[in-house]
Each structure stands twice: as C-alpha cells, then as structure tokens.
Amino acid sequence: MSPIARRNATIKKPVLSRLVLPGLEPADADQLEAHDSHEGLRLEGADLSGRDLTGATFTECELVGVTAHTTTLTHARLIETRLERLNAPVLDATRSTWRDVELSGSRLGALDIYDAEVRSTRIVGSKFDWINLRASTLEDVLFEDCTIDELDLAGVTATRVAFVNCRASSIALAHARLKDVDLRGLEMGSISNLEGMSGATLDAQQVTELAPAFASHLGIRIEG
C-alpha cells in the first residue's frame, strides 16, 4: 500500500476543543423560560422537572446537579455549555442543537434526541437506558466511559464519532450513514441492520465476535 493510501485509510478522530467558560452568574430555575436566550449562567442543584423550555438557547452556561425529569428541550440550543451530574429519567430534546457541549457524570433514562444536531460534543462518565438519535446529525462527538442499554442510530449521519471504554447492550443502525466512526472502544451486544455499519472501524476481536452475525446477514451457512 502506498503512503498516500495508508494516510487515506487512517480513521479521523473527533476534533474537540477544551470548553472554557467565563465568569458565570448564579441563576435559579425561575429565570429559565421557553424560547428565551440564557447566557453566562450557572445553575446548581435546581429541579427543572416538568418544565417546558422549548426553543430556549443556553450559551456559555453551566448546569450542575440539575434534575430534569420530563423536561422539554425540543428545538432548544445548547452552545458552549457544560452539563454535569444531570439527572433526567426522561428528557425530550428532539430537534435540538448541541454545539461545543460537555455532558459528564450524568444519569439519563430515556434521552429522546431525535432529528437533532450534535457537534463538537463530549459525553463522559454517564449512563443511559435509551438514547434515541434517529435521523440526527453527529459530527466530532466523543463518548467516553459510558454505559448505554439501547442506542438507536437509525437514519443517523455521523462523521468523526468515537467511543472509548463504552458499552451498548443493543444498537440499531438502519439506514445509518457513517464516516470515520470508531467503534473499537465500544463493547457491543446485539446489533440490528448490520449494513448500517459501513463506514465504521472495528478491531480484529470485534470482527471475530461479530462473524456469525455477519455470516447470517449475508446468508452464509457455517458448518464444521
């Protein structure tokens, strides 16, 4: 293989910059409203359960130890924002926009983030029962030290996405479009729609473990 071919074959990693926030103003839950713009706020220990924050924009904000059960973030925009120790058994973030976001040390049950844009985002040390990313666009996204029971990537368009020391019990990949998606750090359980893995990178052990599934998908009978 030529040097140019080797370079072209190398998977591209997510491009992420460290999130540095300016001096933030302490805030409380009553300040947050749907369709409003919130900038430079720090919200700690607040309970946003049941709140409708549809269309709200958070820019250079930090939410720490916040509970957000059944909070609605449909069409919301999170820009250069840190979410730490977020507790959300059910969170509706459909058609939201995440850019330069850090989500860490959090516990989310059902995260509905359908038809969203997630760019330059780092998700670390968090646990999810279900992530619905159907029809979403992911670009420069890193999952690290995360556990996910169900990961739905059907119809997703993903570029430069990586997993490090993560586990997903089940993955759905119907009609997924992947480019530079590194799955080597993802321990995978069941996978539906194997054709959606085109564009992903696996290691040799993963390929060996998935060989029976690949054979079944291709109609290959293994005997002996």
Side-chain angles (χ1 to χ4, degrees):
M1 183 183 293
S2 69
I4 291 177
R6 282 197 296 270
R7 283 198 299 270
N8 290 340
T10 301
I11 188 169
K12 296 178 181 177
K13 297 179 180 181
V15 179
L16 296 167
S17 299
R18 181 170 172 264
L19 179 60
V20 179
L21 298 176
L24 303 177
E25 177 184 342
D28 58 52
D30 292 338
Q31 292 178 242
L32 307 184
E33 299 289 344
H35 304 290
D36 276 0
S37 294
H38 310 286
E39 185 171 353
L41 299 181
R42 186 176 196 273
L43 196 68
E44 184 171 6
D47 190 349
L48 300 177
S49 296
R51 293 286 299 276
D52 183 1
L53 297 176
T54 298
T57 298
F58 296 87
T59 305
E60 294 187 330
C61 290
E62 185 174 55
L63 282 68
V64 179
V66 168
T67 299
H69 179 45
T70 67
T71 301
T72 300
L73 288 169
T74 303
H75 293 288
R77 290 170 54 83
L78 281 67
I79 312 296
E80 296 181 74
T81 288
R82 178 179 293 119
L83 307 171
E84 184 178 333
R85 301 196 312 277
L86 178 66
N87 177 31
V90 177
L91 182 62
D92 181 2
T94 55
R95 299 182 174 86
S96 58
T97 298
W98 299 42
R99 192 177 77 228
D100 296 309
V101 173
E102 289 184 1
L103 173 66
S104 65
S106 296
R107 176 68 174 91
L108 289 87
L111 173 59
D112 200 348
I113 193 167
Y114 169 88
D115 196 19
E117 289 192 15
V118 184
R119 304 179 189 272
S120 302
T121 291
R122 186 190 308 266
I123 301 173
V124 181
S126 297
K127 185 175 182 180
F128 306 84
D129 291 339
W130 176 60
I131 304 179
N132 177 17
L133 280 161
R134 282 177 171 253
S136 291
T137 298
L138 280 67
E139 186 175 293
D140 296 313
V141 177
L142 173 66
F143 290 86
E144 186 172 0
D145 298 324
C146 291
T147 300
I148 306 166
D149 287 344
E150 297 181 50
L151 178 59
D152 193 340
L153 298 175
V156 75
T157 299
T159 306
R160 295 187 301 277
V161 176
F163 294 82
V164 176
N165 193 33
C166 292
R167 185 182 189 282
S169 298
S170 68
I171 305 174
L173 288 164
H175 308 294
R177 295 178 295 278
L178 311 183
K179 182 178 180 182
D180 293 311
V181 173
D182 192 346
L183 299 178
R184 290 174 294 180
L186 178 63
E187 180 184 344
M188 295 176 283
S190 63
I191 302 172
S192 61
N193 306 99
L194 284 169
E195 68 278 3
M197 296 190 78
S198 176
T201 297
L202 304 173
D203 63 27
Q205 182 178 343
Q206 287 173 312
V207 172
T208 299
E209 291 172 350
L210 289 170
F214 287 140
S216 176
H217 177 72
L218 295 171
I220 299 172
R221 186 171 64 246
I222 301 174
E223 294 183 359

